[in-house]
């Protein structure tokens, strides 16, 4: 029987554990999400984060700046949040409007408050095997692998996708857990062949159902990071779920897999950042 990794339930449990730890503190860990402009997908997502944070006892707020905000103004806003002692975590919602360079905004966040784990200092720490803030989606995927009781040391892990946000940090976490890691991507010569060797298959390309059932090794653990909105409004993963299901030992659904874990791990990072900063 294939284990379906219920990210919604696992995230709920994790958020409950975080709420218990937050309740024992003498302060509320502060999270600020900075949103610029009106990207429609960001609206729903920012509201979900805000609700999850508030329910778990965090002081959460969204700073919504107009579309016309200049890069310099955004950097000033970030500097003010860096200097605010009540703010433990800062997340700059992506995508940003085209006239703002995302890498400038990311690098402006105090690495100690970078709960996205996107700052080059945190990316560098992760790549060097040093402790730091780890990106939320890969962190959530590691929780799901633990839930699947994955035996990571020596396992062949294949990460499809090389983004700064998911693919690269995911590969680093698997390497730190002693997997043999392959990073595959759109230019990989034989993508199906690489996937078929995977004991652990992580799909993070953002192409609906690119990964077919017969690319999945019998008994593999499949973590689908793709959240692709189809023209009919439904969400699809990067993996052809119905095809992969009978072959996998464990698999994440979309929706209800990695997505909810990302939000729970944002709170986990914010709590860790708060404790590290405030002692
Ligand atoms: N600085 C920054 N950090 C991010 O982490 C970040 C970002 N910008 N910009 C946008 C993407 C997207 N993202 C999602 C997280 C959770 C769900 C999620 O919970 N999805 C639900 C479904 C939600 C629905 O129905 O639309 C699920 O998969 O079950 C989706 C998308 C984080 N992102
Ligand atoms: Mg790519």
């Amino acid at each position: 029987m294939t284990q379906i990794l219920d990210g919604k339930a696992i995230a709920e449990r994790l958020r409950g554990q975080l709420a218990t730890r937050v309740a024992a503190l003498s302060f509320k860990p502060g999270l600020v999400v900075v949103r610029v402009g009106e990207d429609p997908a960001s609206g729903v997502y920012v509201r979900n984060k805000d609700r999850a944070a508030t329910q778990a006892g965090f002081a959460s707020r969204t700073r919504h700046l107009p579309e016309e905000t200049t890069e310099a103004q955004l950097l000033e806003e970030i500097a003010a949040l860096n200097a605010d002692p009540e703010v433990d975590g800062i997340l700059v919602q992506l995508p940003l409007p085209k006239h703002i360079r995302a890498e400038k905004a990311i690098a402006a966040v105090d690495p100690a408050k970078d709960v996205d784990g996107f700052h080059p200092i945190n990316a560098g720490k992760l790549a060097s095997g040093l402790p730091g803030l780890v990106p939320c989606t890969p962190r959530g995927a590691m929780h799901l692998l633990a839930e699947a009781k994955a035996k990571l040391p020596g396992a062949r892990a294949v990460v499809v996708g090389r983004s700064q946000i998911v693919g690269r940090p995911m590969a680093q976490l698997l390497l730190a857990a002693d997997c043999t890691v392959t990073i595959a991507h759109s230019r990989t010569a034989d993508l199906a062949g690489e996937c078929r060797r995977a004991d652990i298959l992580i799909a993070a390309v953002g192409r609906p159902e690119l990964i077919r059932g017969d690319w999945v090794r019998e008994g593999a653990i499949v973590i689908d990071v793709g959240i692709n909105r189809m023209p009919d409004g439904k969400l699809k993963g990067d993996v052809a779920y119905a095809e992969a299901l009978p072959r996998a030992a464990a698999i994440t659904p979309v929706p209800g897999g990695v997505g909810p874990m990302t939000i729970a791990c944002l709170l986990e990072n914010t709590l860790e950042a708060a404790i590290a900063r405030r002692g």
Side-chain angles (χ1 to χ4, degrees):
M1 264 298 284
T2 303
Q3 181 186 5
I4 294 171
L5 298 166
D6 184 349
K8 194 160 177 271
I10 298 161
E12 208 168 290
R13 197 181 70 212
L14 177 55
R15 285 189 279 109
Q17 290 164 352
L18 295 170
T20 304
R21 289 171 61 197
V22 167
L25 297 173
S26 59
F27 62 92
K28 277 175 181 271
L31 171 65
V32 178
V33 175
V34 181
R35 183 181 171 207
V36 185
E38 295 302 330
D39 174 61
S42 294
V44 187
Y45 177 52
V46 167
R47 273 193 297 282
N48 287 347
K49 278 192 275 210
D50 197 51
R51 181 164 12 94
T54 305
Q55 275 176 5
F58 292 71
S60 170
R61 62 190 167 89
T62 299
R63 186 82 176 88
H64 194 174
L65 304 172
E67 178 78 27
E68 316 78 67
T69 304
T70 65
E71 186 179 284
Q73 285 169 332
L74 176 60
L75 298 187
E76 264 175 52
E77 184 69 31
I78 293 168
L81 296 171
N82 286 342
D84 184 340
E86 299 296 310
V87 175
D88 297 291
I90 303 167
L91 179 149
V92 181
Q93 182 71 16
L94 302 176
L96 287 166
K98 283 185 193 59
H99 63 274
I100 298 175
R101 289 168 291 179
E103 70 272 19
K104 294 288 176 193
I106 289 167
V109 176
D110 178 350
K113 297 187 177 189
D114 169 37
V115 286
D116 257 334
F118 294 168
H119 192 290
I121 291 273
N122 284 317
K125 284 182 172 173
L126 182 58
S128 307
L130 298 170
L133 288 162
V134 172
C136 303
T137 298
R139 189 168 188 180
M142 293 303 287
H143 278 298
L144 292 171
L145 289 173
E147 204 66 33
K149 299 193 164 57
K151 289 181 186 56
L152 297 179
R156 283 183 200 280
V158 175
V159 180
V160 187
R162 54 177 155 177
S163 71
Q164 305 290 0
I165 292 172
V166 184
R168 286 168 203 247
M170 186 76 240
Q172 293 295 348
L173 287 173
L174 292 164
L175 187 59
D178 299 323
C179 290
T180 301
V181 181
T182 299
I183 306 177
H185 47 78
S186 52
R187 305 293 295 271
T188 293
D190 177 15
L191 188 55
E194 296 295 342
C195 290
R196 285 188 189 112
R197 290 155 60 83
D199 303 309
I200 314 276
L201 181 59
I202 314 278
V205 266
R207 303 249 316 260
E209 300 190 336
L210 173 76
I211 292 168
R212 309 311 310 184
D214 67 347
W215 299 18
V216 174
R217 186 190 177 99
E218 199 68 49
I221 299 174
V222 180
I223 306 289
D224 190 349
V225 178
I227 301 178
N228 307 290
R229 179 80 58 190
M230 304 310 286
D232 66 1
K234 292 211 176 82
L235 294 177
K236 268 199 178 145
D238 290 347
V239 178
Y241 181 82
E243 294 175 14
L245 182 68
R247 297 170 69 101
I251 189 167
T252 58
V254 177
V258 174
M261 296 302 296
T262 297
I263 296 184
C265 289
L266 172 63
L267 304 185
E268 193 174 37
N269 278 350
T270 303
L271 177 57
E272 276 180 12
I275 291 169
R277 276 188 58 252
R278 308 205 208 199

